[in-house]
Amino acid sequence: MTLDQMKAKAEQIQRDINMILAGIDPKEIGGAVNWADLKCVDVSISLMDDSWCATVEEASPSATELATYIHIGLQRLGHGEVWVRCDW
């Protein structure tokens, strides 16, 4: 995969995560989340094992329900395995 292809994939993952976030009913997801500013701010790839990681800000690192919801949504959109990390 070329650098341009990796960047395009990262941008698509970011757009898809923000779309998923826009469709969530906050009453359905538990955990400490600032729903007003919640968004994907970064997507990276590990050069060691080609794994993808997306960072979603304005949610507690312990917001596992949210991370799992996003992960499943990404799989449904065909992204395969993307690790979702929540951070303040």
Side-chain angles (χ1 to χ4, degrees):
M1 184 179 287
T2 68
L3 183 58
D4 286 340
Q5 290 170 323
M6 287 188 284
K7 183 176 180 181
K9 181 173 179 168
E11 290 170 342
Q12 185 62 54
I13 290 169
Q14 182 182 39
R15 282 190 300 273
D16 286 345
I17 288 174
N18 289 330
M19 179 191 67
I20 291 166
L21 293 173
I24 295 175
D25 179 355
K27 296 173 190 161
E28 295 180 14
I29 303 289
V33 178
N34 177 3
W35 292 101
D37 292 324
L38 190 64
K39 64 185 167 283
C40 178
V41 296
D42 186 50
V43 177
S44 60
I45 184 170
S46 169
L47 297 176
M48 301 302 291
D49 63 4
D50 294 330
S51 63
W52 290 87
C53 176
T55 301
V56 174
E57 280 193 353
E58 297 302 323
S60 169
S62 64
T64 57
E65 280 186 56
L66 177 63
T68 300
Y69 187 93
I70 297 166
H71 175 79
I72 291 168
L74 288 171
Q75 286 183 320
R76 288 182 180 148
L77 292 171
H79 289 296
E81 293 297 319
V82 177
W83 180 61
V84 179
R85 183 176 79 87
C86 296
D87 199 3
W88 289 116

